[in-house]
Amino acid sequence: MVVDVLASVGRPLTLLVAHRADPLADLAVLEALRHLIAATTDVSFLRTDHGGVGLAANGARHASIGLISSHRHLVPIGGGSGGGKRNDYSPRVFLPEFLDWFTINTIAGWSLVDPSWLVCDLPCCGGRALGRLFDPDLKHEVTPHNLHALASVANGVLDADPTDRMLEFIERCEKASDRYDLPGMRGPKRGSQLDNWVLGV
């Protein structure tokens, strides 16, 4: 009924995504949003995280990442706790290969085990290891990395042919999920946003 009412407005829509935790980690919500996109000609979403790329790939006009709620993961240095988990309040770093955010402390721990796969080839890092960001003198490089990393995912999906964008996004989700089998990696929770994007297609 809500979708029918919104679709009947006949004007561009902008929805503010709200949830006590992850607004896109509920499969029913995700299916409803996809239905809404299909039922309207111009809908945008505010306050998403990187899952907003999936909404845009599905046909949404626009999806913004951030604007409080812990900045939807992207927290500028000095801009807050960073949404620390388990008392780890080090800044978060977005890893495109995993479509997920990890704290610098976590990444530094992985670097001690096998630093070879934590090399970033984006322009912001130029092939340097992400473990370097553990150095307090280099934490100012976290935000440029996150911006480039998010843009690389968005561009990789949205630069595809419109008919292939959703498939491109889902393939990235599937590859990210497969990478969680690496030693020491925690996988996405069942019913997580990553899991739901794959199941929802």
Side-chain angles (χ1 to χ4, degrees):
M1 291 175 62
V2 172
V3 169
D4 289 343
V5 169
L6 292 175
S8 70
V9 171
R11 295 182 181 181
L13 300 171
T14 301
L15 300 182
L16 180 65
V17 180
H19 191 271
R20 62 180 178 81
D22 185 347
L24 300 180
D26 186 309
L27 184 56
V29 170
L30 191 56
E31 290 174 342
L33 292 178
R34 294 181 67 217
H35 179 60
L36 173 62
I37 292 169
T40 60
T41 58
D42 191 345
V43 60
S44 299
F45 295 91
L46 302 180
R47 206 171 71 175
T48 73
D49 61 5
H50 51 285
V53 176
L55 295 173
N58 205 65
R61 176 64 61 93
H62 172 80
S64 72
I65 295 175
L67 300 181
I68 308 304
S69 242
S70 292
H71 301 267
R72 298 305 302 143
H73 310 301
L74 178 59
V75 182
I77 300 301
S81 69
K85 294 181 179 179
R86 297 181 184 148
N87 297 318
D88 180 359
Y89 291 95
S90 60
R92 287 185 174 189
V93 177
F94 183 69
L95 302 184
E97 299 83 359
F98 293 91
L99 290 179
D100 206 351
W101 300 79
F102 301 91
T103 65
I104 288 177
N105 288 347
T106 299
I107 292 172
W110 296 337
S111 299
L112 296 174
V113 177
D114 183 4
S116 62
W117 60 273
L118 285 171
V119 169
C120 177
D121 292 322
L122 293 171
C124 52
C125 297
R128 292 175 293 165
L130 290 173
R132 77 185 191 281
L133 300 174
F134 184 71
D135 183 342
D137 292 335
L138 296 179
K139 286 186 179 179
H140 65 279
E141 297 183 13
V142 171
T143 297
H145 165 83
N146 287 337
L147 294 174
H148 278 90
L150 286 166
S152 73
V153 172
N155 290 338
V157 172
L158 300 179
D159 284 348
D161 186 275
T163 59
D164 296 330
R165 288 174 182 167
M166 199 59 199
L167 178 60
E168 173 69 25
F169 183 71
I170 294 304
E171 287 179 351
R172 286 172 182 257
C173 290
E174 290 174 337
K175 288 178 180 178
S177 183
D178 290 343
R179 288 189 178 99
Y180 277 104
D181 291 332
L182 292 171
M185 292 296 303
R186 63 167 180 80
K189 298 177 182 177
R190 184 171 298 279
S192 71
Q193 184 180 134
L194 187 67
D195 191 30
N196 285 338
W197 272 117
V198 176
L199 292 174
V201 173

